[in-house]
Structures are given as structure tokens and as C-alpha cells.
Amino acid sequence: MAARAVARLLLWAAGLVGWLAADFSDVRLAFSDKATCSDIILRQEFLKDGFHRDLLIKVKFGESIEGLQTCRLLIKHYIPTGLYVDPYELASLREKNITEAVMVSESFNIEAPNYLSKESEVLIYARQDAQCIDCFQAFLPVHYRYHRPHRKDGHTLIVVNNPDLLMYCDEEFPVLKCWAQSEVAAPCALKSEDICQWNNMKYKSILKNLTLQVPVGLTIHTSLVCSVTLLITVLCSTLILVAVFKYGHFSL
């Protein structure tokens, strides 16, 4: 009896040791995968000055990834009400192969002021940077909308949040396992009707968001602006009528 009890005890101990070893191996493998994960860095900045800007977005992977050329990067950006993207301008830029961006939002009015506008959604297919193997970049022209005049301060702020970063690869990469949060359905390419399941990637941003300072009118100048505008309109209309009757040729 004692021998049988000892044998059972040894078998139980051996099984426990094996289970602990397998569990430790899984933990070590998971930790090793996390240790090899490289950060994804996103940076966005505005180029040019004035009411018409260019939004430049750059994405860099922390370390060299072999076969990254088989991956595609899609930037899903939400444009705040203080800005707008001209869909006709985007169509022209796509024809010239300058950018691969398309409007998602429908019933979009580029003439509406910010207080009558809604947030718009844009899809930008990023391109690989020729000067950086592990980098992608995207380009989007944006424009200021008209804002309500203020009583005191002659400026208002527009906050541009960071976009969603979507990634699709023909092969499995460790970076997908590291930073993929969820799947998002979107067109596989700009001119494709096929839908792919893109991975919504977690990344580190250089800036939390971008802030733009936009000049606006002052309410105390309303009477002056209206009076001068009306005066100029009447004056120009009068000059046009005088020129028409003086130099025009009418036949009855």
C-alpha cells in the first residue's frame, strides 16, 4: 500500500511539474512577443499659412519590418466643423496622382459656416515614403470655414484630433498581433469596390491633437461693415448703369 501511495504521489508531482513548465513557457513566449513589438509613431502637422492649409500625416514603424511592402495603410480622419475638405479638389488631385483621399460624408456643403456644418469623414490611403523604408505618409488639403463674429477676442480655436490608423497586410506580421485593436470594414483600395477587414492599430502620437487659431470678425464692427458694404454695392451698381447707358448701343 505504501509503495502504491508513493507511486501515485510521484505521478501527481510529475504532472504538476509538467503543467507548470508548460504554463511558464506560454508566459515566456507571450512576454517575448511583446518585447519584440515595435512602436508605431504617428505625426501630423499643417503646412502653409492662411485660410488654406495642407495636412501632412506621417507614420513610422519603430524597427525595420521585412515584407512591409505587402501592407497597406489607411487613415480615417474626422474633419471638425471649423474646417472643410473640397471633394472637387480631391478629385482633381487624384487625377494628378498627388493624393489618394476620398470623402465619405454625404450631403456636404463647402459654403456653409462652421455653426451650420457637421463633422466630415475622409479616407486617405497612405503611400510609402521613398526616403524611409518603414515610413508612410499622406497628404490632405483643408480650408477654414467662416465663423461667427466674437464680441472681444478676434480669434477662435479649431482642434483637430488624431485619426484612426487602419492596416491591412497580405501576410501575418508580429506588429499586427501587438497593436491591432479591432477590425474595420473599408474599401481595399481607392478605386476598388471590394471590402477588406482592416486592423485598427494602436499607435503613439507625437502630439495629442493639433490646434489652429482662426481670425474672426468682431460684433462691434457689424454696423460699420454693413454700411460700407451697402455703400460700395450702390456705388458700383450706379457706375455700371451709367456706363451701360453712355456706351451701350440699343436698338428698338
Side-chain angles (χ1 to χ4, degrees):
M1 291 292 293
R4 290 182 179 180
V6 171
R8 289 178 180 177
L9 181 62
L10 290 175
L11 288 174
W12 177 82
L16 179 62
V17 170
W19 177 78
L20 290 175
D23 189 61
F24 177 76
S25 177
D26 292 341
V27 172
R28 183 176 58 183
L29 181 60
F31 178 79
S32 176
D33 288 342
K34 281 292 182 183
T36 57
C37 289
S38 59
D39 292 333
I40 302 176
I41 309 298
L42 184 142
R43 178 177 181 176
Q44 54 179 358
E45 60 181 324
F46 281 104
L47 307 178
K48 298 182 180 179
D49 296 320
F51 279 68
H52 308 281
R53 302 288 191 96
D54 291 334
L55 177 60
L56 181 63
I57 305 170
K58 294 185 176 182
V59 179
K60 187 179 188 309
F61 291 85
E63 63 182 24
S64 179
I65 300 177
E66 186 177 355
L68 189 61
Q69 296 80 5
T70 64
C71 294
R72 284 165 279 176
L73 223 58
L74 176 59
I75 297 171
K76 189 177 183 180
H77 221 308
Y78 300 92
I79 307 301
T81 58
L83 299 173
Y84 74 90
V85 176
D86 188 346
Y88 303 104
E89 181 183 14
L90 289 185
S92 176
L93 293 176
R94 289 195 301 268
E95 291 180 358
K96 298 176 182 178
N97 199 29
I98 296 177
T99 186
E100 296 184 28
V102 61
M103 293 285 300
V104 177
S105 305
E106 298 180 355
S107 302
F108 187 74
N109 186 1
I110 63 176
E111 300 294 339
N114 79 306
Y115 49 87
L116 295 178
S117 304
K118 297 181 180 179
E119 184 181 68
S120 57
E121 184 179 328
V122 182
L123 293 179
I124 317 168
Y125 292 85
R127 298 175 175 178
Q128 287 192 325
D129 193 342
Q131 300 178 351
C132 177
I133 300 177
D134 306 314
C135 301
F136 289 79
Q137 64 178 8
F139 161 81
L140 182 70
V142 296
H143 313 276
Y144 291 170
R145 288 189 180 274
Y146 292 107
H147 292 72
R148 288 186 185 273
H150 288 189
R151 291 185 178 181
K152 296 181 179 179
D153 190 10
H155 294 85
T156 188
L157 297 179
I158 300 175
V159 178
V160 181
N161 295 320
N162 288 316
D164 292 339
L165 183 62
L166 309 180
M167 189 173 184
Y168 181 85
C169 297
D170 297 331
E171 303 176 6
E172 287 292 334
F173 287 100
V175 68
L176 294 177
K177 298 180 180 179
C178 293
W179 306 122
Q181 303 178 103
S182 60
E183 290 189 347
V184 178
C188 298
L190 179 65
K191 298 181 180 179
S192 174
E193 296 182 357
D194 298 332
I195 301 298
C196 293
Q197 294 298 321
W198 297 73
N199 292 283
N200 190 1
M201 306 297 290
K202 183 179 180 181
Y203 60 85
K204 292 184 177 180
S205 177
I206 300 296
L207 299 174
K208 185 177 180 180
N209 49 50
L210 290 179
T211 303
L212 295 173
Q213 191 177 50
V214 183
V216 297
L218 297 175
T219 54
I220 59 175
H221 297 154
T222 302
S223 300
L224 176 63
V225 171
C226 291
S227 301
V228 172
T229 302
L230 180 60
L231 178 62
I232 293 176
T233 303
V234 172
L235 178 61
C236 292
S237 301
T238 303
L239 292 175
I240 292 174
L241 289 175
V242 170
V244 168
F245 283 105
K246 184 176 181 180
Y247 301 103
H249 300 282
F250 302 95
S251 58
L252 298 178

